[in-house]
Amino acid sequence: MFSKVLIANRGAIAVRIERTLAKMGVKSVAVYSKADRDSLHVENADEAVYLGEGTAKDTYLDVDKIIKAALDTGAEAIHPGYGFLSENTVFAAKCEENNIKFVGPDSSQIKLFGLKHSAREIAQKANVPLLSGTGLLKGVDEAIVEAEKIGYPVMIKSTAGGGGIGIRICENKDELVASYDNVCHLAESNFNDAGVFLEKYIRKARHVEVQIFGNEYGEVATLGERDCSVQRRNQKVVEESPAPNLSDTVREQMYTAAKSLAKTSGYRSAGTVEFLYDESDEKFYFLEVNTRLQVEHGITEEVYGVDLVEWMIKEAAGELKGIEEFKAVPNGHSIEVRVYAEDCINNFRPCSGKIDDVTFSGKARVETWIRKNIEISALYDPMLAKLIVHAENREKAVEKMLDVLTESKIYGITTNLEYLKSLILTGDYKDGKLFTKMLEGFLPLELSSQMQRYIKINFKRRFPVQAFAWTLI
């Protein structure tokens, strides 16, 4: 086992990894920027290395700085967490070159699954169901021909990247022609790879993912599934496990497909096989593989009684054996919400500023990096915390989450706590009627009233005379 592990990340996930390392008796090394000097992940670490000031590119994404920090502190391994360098093949390879263990799959696997078109090829070899689609396209003329074969609507997708960047839904030939060059440009500028392909688009789909884990001995375990359908702008907002309203037959088929894919590729460490699920005909299709720990890994841990970070550390050290014998039996239901510093009535604009006070409900598993008087920077992702509940069934988990959102308070900056509470209260959510576009146009009644007041106040400031008539509204 390693004696010291560096965490190449910040915020809640760095705090989360530190907790497991402490439990295992392994020393932790944090890295931090000037903006994060007061973060809990710095305070909780055994050692901390300053990366300087500036953006993520100048700090957490600087491969040379991270490698130097590991070498200077004597860290034998680096855990990348999620985001940042977690799926960066150059970084993983640099770790290997410097005899530092990268806690995750090796660079070749990250590269293989990092490009969506090559991931589709592996999925096909593993007999995993695929949406109708193409390989990399040579130009818009080929795209037009292939789209006619697939049938509209189709998605034009960049092979690299993620987060919804480089995806366009096209209802017809004209939209495809208009979108093609734009998607290629976005892919080139964001991911340095202009490759694109087509895939059939399902209008009302669910996003269900299976947690996989492989080790160097060729063993693969599947640890249940998570429903991540509640999304806004392709970013997950609420996740839960097990997925509601999913038949045992479909569930087992998903596990089989995910395990086949992992076995075919010789996958190691934690990973997630993502599927689109068409509830109307109970069919699912391969979407992609995330070669890292997911943000929502905590709900799997709650339901299956495992510590995925510990498994990752042990696997990297060659000490994880017998995982295929692990009985992955679900216990109850778990829900996670992501708390963001964002203004829901102002197009979800990220917010920054000082937190005057913060209180989280004692009924939740809280994954956070914030505390009283900490400054929230505009330089990084605005996620402040993940609130996780676990109960004996979904109905009680929903009730528990409502209590948690009511009892949790963050003062000094605007957050999405009320938005989340209103979402959980909707009939569709309570009934488990989830799909990826369910948040389009959703604005809670209370927030709608706030928005009306916001518009009126700003109108009066700009047009005081005309606003006189508005007072009668």
Side-chain angles (χ1 to χ4, degrees), residues 65-78:
K65 281 185 179 179
I66 300 295
I67 294 293
K68 185 177 186 300
L71 294 173
D72 289 349
T73 57
E76 302 115 308
I78 294 179

Side-chain angles (χ1 to χ4, degrees), residues 70-196:
L71 294 173
D72 289 349
T73 57
E76 302 115 308
I78 294 179
H79 197 308
Y82 46 67
F84 288 146
L85 297 171
S86 62
E87 294 177 287
N88 186 302
T89 54
V90 172
F91 179 61
K94 276 266 190 179
C95 289
E96 294 162 11
E97 290 170 14
N98 286 275
N99 296 315
I100 300 168
K101 192 66 179 179
F102 179 83
V103 182
D106 62 40
S107 57
S108 64
Q109 290 180 325
I110 296 173
K111 184 176 182 180
L112 177 69
F113 288 113
L115 296 175
K116 298 183 186 70
H117 78 282
S118 60
R120 276 179 60 93
E121 291 170 3
I122 293 293
Q124 192 168 22
K125 289 179 183 177
N127 295 315
V128 178
L130 288 167
L131 288 165
S132 300
T134 70
L136 289 181
L137 297 166
K138 297 176 182 177
V140 67
D141 291 337
E142 184 184 11
I144 293 168
V145 172
E146 294 298 327
E148 292 295 337
K149 293 178 184 177
I150 295 169
Y152 291 98
V154 298
M155 290 182 290
I156 179 169
K157 301 173 70 173
S158 61
T159 187
I165 300 172
I167 298 177
R168 289 291 184 276
I169 299 164
C170 305
E171 298 286 348
N172 50 53
K173 175 183 173 182
D174 290 342
E175 290 186 7
L176 177 61
V177 172
S179 300
Y180 188 88
D181 287 340
N182 186 36
V183 173
C184 290
H185 174 73
L186 281 172
E188 177 67 34
S189 58
N190 284 279
F191 313 121
N192 200 33
D193 188 334
V196 297

